[in-house]
PDB file of all heavy atoms in Angstrom:
ATOM      1  N   ASP U   3     174.971 293.186 203.299  1.00 93.00           N
ATOM      2  CA  ASP U   3     175.013 294.212 204.333  1.00 93.00           C
ATOM      3  C   ASP U   3     176.272 294.046 205.179  1.00 93.00           C
ATOM      4  O   ASP U   3     176.483 292.990 205.776  1.00 93.00           O
ATOM      5  CB  ASP U   3     173.762 294.105 205.204  1.00 93.00           C
ATOM      6  CG  ASP U   3     173.685 295.194 206.263  1.00 93.00           C
ATOM      7  OD1 ASP U   3     174.428 296.195 206.160  1.00 93.00           O
ATOM      8  OD2 ASP U   3     172.886 295.042 207.201  1.00 93.00           O
ATOM      9  N   THR U  14     199.530 304.884 200.590  1.00 98.00           N
ATOM     10  CA  THR U  14     200.313 306.096 200.767  1.00 98.00           C
ATOM     11  C   THR U  14     200.300 306.854 199.445  1.00 98.00           C
ATOM     12  O   THR U  14     199.615 306.451 198.503  1.00 98.00           O
ATOM     13  CB  THR U  14     201.749 305.784 201.267  1.00 98.00           C
ATOM     14  OG1 THR U  14     202.368 306.993 201.692  1.00 98.00           O
ATOM     15  CG2 THR U  14     202.586 305.087 200.214  1.00 98.00           C
ATOM     16  N   VAL U  29     182.329 299.349 199.887  1.00 98.00           N
ATOM     17  CA  VAL U  29     182.146 298.847 201.263  1.00 98.00           C
ATOM     18  C   VAL U  29     181.308 299.809 202.095  1.00 98.00           C
ATOM     19  O   VAL U  29     180.503 299.363 202.919  1.00 98.00           O
ATOM     20  CB  VAL U  29     183.480 298.497 201.971  1.00 98.00           C
ATOM     21  CG1 VAL U  29     184.234 297.417 201.209  1.00 98.00           C
ATOM     22  CG2 VAL U  29     184.357 299.703 202.215  1.00 98.00           C
ATOM     23  N   ALA U  32     177.750 299.436 201.310  1.00 97.00           N
ATOM     24  CA  ALA U  32     177.232 298.198 201.905  1.00 97.00           C
ATOM     25  C   ALA U  32     177.074 298.326 203.424  1.00 97.00           C
ATOM     26  O   ALA U  32     176.686 297.371 204.090  1.00 97.00           O
ATOM     27  CB  ALA U  32     178.148 297.018 201.566  1.00 97.00           C
ATOM     28  N   MET U  38     191.132 305.021 206.699  1.00 98.00           N
ATOM     29  CA  MET U  38     192.372 305.177 205.929  1.00 98.00           C
ATOM     30  C   MET U  38     193.580 305.077 206.844  1.00 98.00           C
ATOM     31  O   MET U  38     193.737 305.862 207.778  1.00 98.00           O
ATOM     32  CB  MET U  38     192.366 306.544 205.224  1.00 98.00           C
ATOM     33  CG  MET U  38     193.485 306.752 204.228  1.00 98.00           C
ATOM     34  SD  MET U  38     193.250 305.731 202.776  1.00 98.00           S
ATOM     35  CE  MET U  38     194.662 304.655 202.931  1.00 98.00           C
ATOM     36  N   ASP U  57     193.333 308.561 208.602  1.00 98.00           N
ATOM     37  CA  ASP U  57     192.674 308.433 209.909  1.00 98.00           C
ATOM     38  C   ASP U  57     193.616 307.916 210.986  1.00 98.00           C
ATOM     39  O   ASP U  57     193.515 308.315 212.142  1.00 98.00           O
ATOM     40  CB  ASP U  57     191.467 307.489 209.791  1.00 98.00           C
ATOM     41  CG  ASP U  57     190.419 308.017 208.827  1.00 98.00           C
ATOM     42  OD1 ASP U  57     190.005 309.187 208.982  1.00 98.00           O
ATOM     43  OD2 ASP U  57     190.029 307.270 207.911  1.00 98.00           O
ATOM     44  N   PRO U  74     194.913 299.074 197.961  1.00 98.00           N
ATOM     45  CA  PRO U  74     194.893 299.622 196.604  1.00 98.00           C
ATOM     46  C   PRO U  74     196.274 299.485 195.965  1.00 98.00           C
ATOM     47  O   PRO U  74     197.292 299.410 196.663  1.00 98.00           O
ATOM     48  CB  PRO U  74     194.546 301.090 196.806  1.00 98.00           C
ATOM     49  CG  PRO U  74     194.008 301.187 198.196  1.00 98.00           C
ATOM     50  CD  PRO U  74     194.672 300.101 198.972  1.00 98.00           C
ATOM     51  N   HIS U  82     206.509 302.008 198.058  1.00 98.00           N
ATOM     52  CA  HIS U  82     206.801 302.674 199.328  1.00 98.00           C
ATOM     53  C   HIS U  82     206.273 301.877 200.520  1.00 98.00           C
ATOM     54  O   HIS U  82     206.943 301.791 201.552  1.00 98.00           O
ATOM     55  CB  HIS U  82     206.242 304.092 199.334  1.00 98.00           C
ATOM     56  CG  HIS U  82     207.023 305.017 198.469  1.00 98.00           C
ATOM     57  ND1 HIS U  82     206.522 306.194 198.001  1.00 98.00           N
ATOM     58  CD2 HIS U  82     208.279 304.941 197.962  1.00 98.00           C
ATOM     59  CE1 HIS U  82     207.422 306.808 197.256  1.00 98.00           C
ATOM     60  NE2 HIS U  82     208.498 306.057 197.207  1.00 98.00           N
ATOM     61  N   ALA U  88     206.239 298.941 209.436  1.00 98.00           N
ATOM     62  CA  ALA U  88     204.967 298.989 210.165  1.00 98.00           C
ATOM     63  C   ALA U  88     203.802 298.645 209.241  1.00 98.00           C
ATOM     64  O   ALA U  88     202.868 297.944 209.639  1.00 98.00           O
ATOM     65  CB  ALA U  88     204.762 300.363 210.789  1.00 98.00           C
ATOM     66  N   CYS U 107     196.154 295.045 191.715  1.00 97.00           N
ATOM     67  CA  CYS U 107     197.226 295.609 190.908  1.00 97.00           C
ATOM     68  C   CYS U 107     198.598 295.373 191.552  1.00 97.00           C
ATOM     69  O   CYS U 107     198.983 294.239 191.804  1.00 97.00           O
ATOM     70  CB  CYS U 107     196.934 297.092 190.676  1.00 97.00           C
ATOM     71  SG  CYS U 107     197.833 297.856 189.318  1.00 97.00           S
ATOM     72  N   ASP U 117     205.479 288.095 203.268  1.00 97.00           N
ATOM     73  CA  ASP U 117     205.712 286.648 203.214  1.00 97.00           C
ATOM     74  C   ASP U 117     204.428 285.845 203.433  1.00 97.00           C
ATOM     75  O   ASP U 117     204.385 284.910 204.223  1.00 97.00           O
ATOM     76  CB  ASP U 117     206.779 286.242 204.237  1.00 97.00           C
ATOM     77  CG  ASP U 117     207.329 284.842 204.001  1.00 97.00           C
ATOM     78  OD1 ASP U 117     207.279 284.360 202.851  1.00 97.00           O
ATOM     79  OD2 ASP U 117     207.786 284.228 204.991  1.00 97.00           O
ATOM     80  N   ASP U 149     191.175 283.183 197.171  1.00 96.00           N
ATOM     81  CA  ASP U 149     191.872 282.048 197.768  1.00 96.00           C
ATOM     82  C   ASP U 149     191.797 282.182 199.286  1.00 96.00           C
ATOM     83  O   ASP U 149     192.555 282.935 199.889  1.00 96.00           O
ATOM     84  CB  ASP U 149     193.324 282.008 197.295  1.00 96.00           C
ATOM     85  CG  ASP U 149     194.103 280.815 197.830  1.00 96.00           C
ATOM     86  OD1 ASP U 149     193.705 280.228 198.859  1.00 96.00           O
ATOM     87  OD2 ASP U 149     195.131 280.473 197.229  1.00 96.00           O
TER      88      ASP U 149
END
Side-chain angles (χ1 to χ4, degrees):
D3 183 15
T14 192
V29 300
M38 189 70 245
D57 298 308
H82 287 160
C107 198
D117 195 25
D149 182 339

